[in-house]
Amino acid sequence: RIAVEVDAEGDGSWRPWFVAEAPPGRAGYVEIPRDLRACWIRLRADDGAACLTAHIACRDADRRPARNGPAFAGLARAARPDAAGTLRSLSPTRLGWLGGDGALRLLGPELRLAPGGDPGDSAKVAAAAVPAAPGVTRDAASIVVTEDGRRWRLPVGETALGDPAPGRRIAREVATERDLLNLGGTFFELPARNAQGMAKVRPVGTHGLAIGDFCGQFGLLALTGVEPGASGERIARSPDGPALWLGVIDDRWQLGRPRGAGGPWKDAAVAAGEGSDPYLLSGYQGRSAEVTTRDAAAIELEGDLDGTGLWVSWATVRTEPGRTARVEIPDALGAYWIRARSDRATEATVWLTYR
């Protein structure tokens, strides 16, 4: 038994809030009501308690709509050869764009795009062409990212953009030690490896846009993929036709609310007691899971509370052959990643939908 106490004014006057039961080897959670007025919270265990972990997650609700904000008007939802190409910073005062037509265009600090440069500039930009991404694949369940020998799974936000495609940049540093990851129609914020890398990835927004390349320059974010004829304050169009989208890096928070679907298993042959790959849970709302198995089984759903491998058991879903069990995942479950574990060898699907 764990007594939870609060200090309302920060003056050391503690009062009981509630008593939690902590069964051995299991995790419980409670949603902290918005009207709880307290500066501090503490826990007091009874004499029989040992080896306890208490984890508190605080976050705001994401009130963005599913659609992109007007700042992203003019970007295409389908890939176009004339809107492709490679971006590279050539100097603090020049951004180079080697377009899908093979022509080099330059953007200067006055934010005017025009043909220019020399063969040396073209070669430098070409050298930054979107590399192959052997560490990123997609299977029937979800997008798989392998980093330093560890596998992580991400939802597909836009089915048509789910597969890593040639010529589409996946990751790039756009601010100091902060990369953007563009996968499955969603932008993710990817910390540097010395800040735990993929373990702490978080979704920024699901855009559904055919963005071929992106790059930071002049404190701005440049995107390819502009529709022909599109115009606006964020569109820099060259006199010969092609255009780039330009905005501040924080404009990314005007993208649609993160959403997607996928899971750790899709018709997968699973071994008894073996955990699945971690699948991203944090940063999404309206979360639910559907679980089906070939044989009657108990599927344990576990959460990594903070991305450091602090796995706890959250729920056990008992299935019958050929029947789907549906589970709503409450917003109060603040785990970073989710994984599944079956008590027997079977074929299983754990499919998560984030709305």
Side-chain angles (χ1 to χ4, degrees):
R1 293 166 61 87
I2 310 296
V4 183
E5 304 172 346
V6 294
D7 176 356
E9 303 297 335
D11 59 3
S13 299
W14 294 94
R15 64 175 177 83
W17 178 31
F18 74 98
V19 176
E21 299 287 341
R26 302 287 296 182
Y29 67 92
V30 63
E31 185 167 3
I32 300 175
R34 292 183 178 274
D35 59 357
L36 178 68
R37 298 185 61 83
C39 291
W40 300 94
I41 189 169
R42 73 181 182 186
L43 285 74
R44 189 187 301 276
D46 63 19
D47 293 338
C51 194
L52 294 170
T53 295
H55 186 273
I56 298 175
C58 302
R59 62 177 60 82
D60 286 334
D62 192 336
R63 305 188 190 283
R64 286 178 291 171
R67 65 182 181 278
N68 295 328
F72 292 90
L75 286 167
R77 302 189 71 87
R80 299 182 54 87
D82 58 347
T86 301
L87 294 168
R88 180 175 182 172
S89 177
L90 292 170
S91 74
T93 60
R94 292 193 308 160
L95 174 68
W97 176 29
L98 191 61
D101 58 1
L104 179 67
R105 297 168 183 87
L106 300 178
L107 184 81
E110 71 286 350
L111 303 184
R112 287 195 293 270
L113 182 68
D118 56 37
D121 292 329
S122 295
K124 289 178 182 178
V125 179
V130 178
V136 180
T137 59
R138 181 187 176 188
D139 60 18
S142 46
I143 297 168
V144 183
V145 179
T146 303
E147 181 184 75
D148 299 332
R150 300 178 67 186
R151 286 162 56 92
W152 311 89
R153 289 184 174 269
L154 302 176
V156 176
E158 184 76 26
T159 303
L161 298 173
D163 294 316
R168 185 186 302 155
R169 190 174 299 276
I170 289 175
R172 196 172 214 171
E173 186 179 49
V174 294
T176 303
E177 294 191 348
R178 187 68 60 174
D179 287 16
L180 282 183
L181 184 67
N182 185 29
L183 281 171
T186 296
F187 266 128
F188 300 85
E189 194 174 69
L190 177 63
R193 278 181 165 87
N194 61 13
Q196 300 186 54
M198 274 298 299
K200 291 296 181 72
V201 71
R202 64 169 176 168
V204 172
T206 296
H207 53 76
L209 300 170
I211 296 167
D213 203 0
F214 53 95
C215 185
Q217 180 81 11
F218 311 124
L220 300 176
L221 178 66
L223 306 176
T224 66
V226 176
E227 290 272 17
S231 61
E233 63 179 6
R234 287 176 172 81
I235 305 297
R237 188 168 294 281
S238 174
D240 62 342
L244 294 175
W245 182 94
L246 302 173
V248 298
I249 293 175
D250 280 347
D251 280 343
R252 68 194 191 276
W253 295 106
Q254 298 181 46
L255 293 169
R257 181 181 65 251
R259 56 202 185 279
W265 292 334
K266 178 70 168 66
D267 299 326
V270 301
E274 185 176 304
S276 70
D277 295 331
Y279 180 84
L280 189 61
L281 181 70
S282 181
Y284 294 93
Q285 298 180 166
R287 306 174 300 183
S288 63
E290 293 182 337
V291 183
T292 56
T293 57
R294 182 190 59 204
D295 312 284
I299 305 297
E300 197 81 13
L301 298 179
E302 302 172 344
D304 177 354
L305 297 183
D306 58 3
T308 65
L310 182 59
W311 290 98
V312 298
S313 177
W314 165 61
T316 301
V317 182
R318 300 191 181 278
T319 62
E320 296 296 330
R323 303 189 67 177
T324 299
R326 193 172 192 274
V327 182
E328 293 293 330
I329 302 175
D331 289 339
L333 182 65
Y336 221 99
W337 299 88
I338 192 169
R339 71 183 179 189
R341 190 185 304 274
S342 175
D343 69 338
R344 64 178 298 175
T346 188
E347 184 178 281
T349 294
V350 176
W351 192 261
L352 294 104
T353 302
Y354 303 148
R355 298 179 292 278

